[in-house]
Amino acid sequence: MTDVIAFAVLLLGYALISGRTQGTSLTAPMVFTTGGLVLGAGGLDLLGGSATGATVRVLTEVALTLVLFTDAVRIDLRVLRREYHLPLLLLGIGMPVGIALGTAAAQGILPGLSLAGAALLASVLAPTDAALGQAVISDRRLPVRIRQTLNVESGLNDGIALPAVMVFSALAASEEVGGSTWSWAGFAAGQIGVGALVGVCVGGLGAWAITRADAAGWVNATHRRLFAIGVAGLSYAGAEVTTGSGFLAAFVAGLVFGALARQQREFVHQFAEREGELLTLMTFALFGAVIIGPRLGDVDGLTLVYAVLSLAVVRPLAVAVATLGARLRPETVCFLGWFGPRGLASIVFALLVVEHGDVAEADRILLVAGVTVLLSVYAHGITAAPWARSFGRRAGRYDPTAPEHRDVTVHHHRWHAPRGQDTGRGD
């Protein structure tokens, strides 16, 4: 009960000041991560457990499953194909370049890390978490296209990075436990294929069922939200019991469900903003208490160097490469490059590597990824609001025909109720 009391006090305390923190450099992930560090084994020892314990594993996996599903639902694929040139550049070019640069940096900085282990670490740190830079996504003074680029990228890159994590995990495991590289790669490919197939089937059937039931007037608003979450849970569990990837299944199910049951998106958004937010905050508290807090004594200089390079060099350089020819101003490129915070997905991906137990370098990957996420929580939280304000003022003086001001459709994001499909330079 001590764990419950400690987290409840943390939650109540933040709830009382949450309105005062909006638009400031104090973010919810910062508060709950700090609370975890203070209340965990490295501090007051009120929040217990281990990184591989059942409680941590279940909570983090449920949180990531819901984030993957709800983020996928909120992205309109038709609009993405038509309008979102910048997010596609960041996802299609920036992410592979970032993984390649992160792999090279890990090989050069972290001694003893194999090539497969270095690529696995870079893949774990590839996805971004816009929740750590909430002020950027929600600041309406920023050009809509820039906010939407970061919003859409964050919504899709978790699911896109997952296959890379699985493949490099299999390759790293093949070096440690024997077996041919091809057999392990085939195993990873099977997980990806089965997971995607289950996601398509469950997401499609779920969309058909809720659409028919809703048209017949059989469903109320509360259970619309619960139905969508049931689709996420069924896709995850269905893939896991058929040797597929549950996370990939949840992501694909979200894409399919959102495309076929567009009228249900608002109810999924409502869940993500309420119940889903609670799970995310609990994960950040446990991250500070039992994942990174007890390991801070193991952090060395090279780990810190790599973490800083991952945030301040690898990601910005990858974005610069991806946006060549997009005619964006240098500050815009720097802004997009910096605001790629690492968060929930990186935490869970690193835990999965440890949990599977076949990668000898898993503990080191967890430590480096954890330090990177910890730095990101504070660095991006502190810089998001002031840079968004100042950049928004300068961008407002750009010529209306500048690439930054190109019209795009506004997608929903995790922290505010949708206000319709606004378009243009403002919303």
Side-chain angles (χ1 to χ4, degrees):
M1 295 302 294
T2 303
D3 291 354
V4 176
I5 294 172
F7 180 78
V9 170
L10 182 60
L11 180 62
L12 291 171
Y14 179 73
L16 292 174
I17 64 169
S18 56
R20 300 287 295 175
T21 65
Q22 291 184 354
T24 72
S25 294
L26 184 64
T27 66
M30 289 171 63
V31 171
F32 281 82
T33 299
T34 303
L37 290 171
V38 173
L39 297 174
L44 301 177
D45 201 17
L46 296 177
L47 278 175
S50 67
T52 56
T55 300
V56 175
R57 183 177 70 252
V58 170
L59 176 63
T60 55
E61 291 186 7
V62 169
L64 183 59
T65 297
L66 294 179
V67 166
L68 287 168
F69 180 81
T70 56
D71 278 358
V73 167
R74 67 186 169 86
I75 303 301
D76 190 328
L77 295 179
R78 298 176 305 167
V79 173
L80 183 66
R81 290 195 302 268
R82 185 175 68 246
E83 296 181 0
Y84 286 101
H85 177 62
L86 277 183
L88 292 177
L89 287 178
L90 296 186
L91 293 167
I93 299 176
M95 180 176 288
V97 170
I99 291 175
L101 292 174
T103 302
Q107 281 273 276
I109 295 171
L110 302 173
L113 199 62
S114 68
L115 180 59
L120 176 56
L121 173 60
S123 300
V124 164
L125 292 173
T128 61
D129 187 348
L132 301 187
Q134 174 183 345
V136 172
I137 306 298
S138 58
D139 193 328
R140 295 175 182 269
R141 290 167 293 195
L142 288 170
V144 178
R145 191 185 187 201
I146 302 307
R147 290 192 285 120
Q148 290 301 94
T149 293
L150 294 171
N151 184 26
V152 173
E153 181 199 15
S154 174
L156 292 176
N157 61 13
D158 296 0
I160 294 173
L162 181 57
V165 172
M166 295 171 62
V167 169
F168 289 123
S169 292
L171 294 177
S174 70
E175 296 179 354
E176 300 299 331
V177 301
S180 70
T181 298
W182 287 110
S183 66
W184 283 92
F187 170 74
Q191 281 202 310
I192 294 169
V194 172
L197 179 61
V198 171
V200 169
C201 293
V202 175
L205 289 173
W208 174 83
I210 192 64
T211 300
R212 293 291 297 271
D214 194 20
W218 293 353
V219 188
N220 62 32
T222 298
H223 291 90
R224 281 195 188 97
R225 293 201 298 270
L226 296 178
F227 180 88
I229 304 313
V231 172
L234 182 59
S235 61
Y236 176 88
E240 289 293 319
V241 300
T242 54
T243 70
S245 167
F247 291 128
L248 187 61
F251 177 72
V252 173
L255 291 175
V256 174
F257 186 87
L260 299 181
R262 290 189 293 274
Q263 69 278 14
Q264 304 299 324
R265 285 179 179 162
E266 179 178 350
F267 300 99
V268 179
H269 302 332
Q270 291 170 359
F271 179 91
E273 292 166 352
R274 298 169 187 171
E275 295 87 349
E277 177 72 1
L278 176 62
L279 289 173
T280 300
L281 295 179
M282 290 176 67
T283 300
F284 276 106
L286 288 177
F287 166 68
V290 304
I291 297 174
I292 192 61
R295 291 172 170 79
L296 289 178
D298 299 329
V299 178
D300 57 20
L302 294 178
T303 297
L304 284 173
V305 169
Y306 182 84
V308 171
L309 286 178
S310 178
L311 298 174
V313 178
V314 170
R315 156 79 184 188
L317 188 55
V319 169
V321 172
T323 54
L324 287 173
R327 299 187 298 112
L328 298 174
R329 298 178 185 237
E331 184 180 8
T332 304
V333 176
C334 291
F335 189 83
L336 291 172
W338 172 243
F339 285 108
R342 314 310 199 277
L344 178 63
S346 293
I347 295 170
V348 180
F349 289 168
L351 287 175
L352 287 177
V353 174
V354 173
E355 179 188 336
H356 289 167
D358 296 328
V359 180
E361 300 157 322
D363 287 334
R364 192 173 190 191
I365 289 172
L366 178 61
L367 176 64
V368 177
V371 171
T372 306
V373 171
L374 185 65
L375 293 180
S376 183
V377 166
Y378 294 105
H380 289 102
I382 291 170
T383 58
W387 196 357
R389 284 195 298 268
S390 61
F391 178 49
R393 287 194 298 269
R394 288 187 291 273
R397 297 192 290 268
Y398 291 174
D399 189 282
T401 61
E404 287 83 353
H405 289 309
R406 184 176 300 170
D407 289 352
V408 295
T409 301
V410 178
H411 280 247
H412 177 85
H413 55 80
R414 284 189 221 164
W415 308 284
H416 298 284
R419 298 183 60 186
Q421 294 295 309
D422 301 330
T423 60
R425 292 176 49 218
D427 43 323

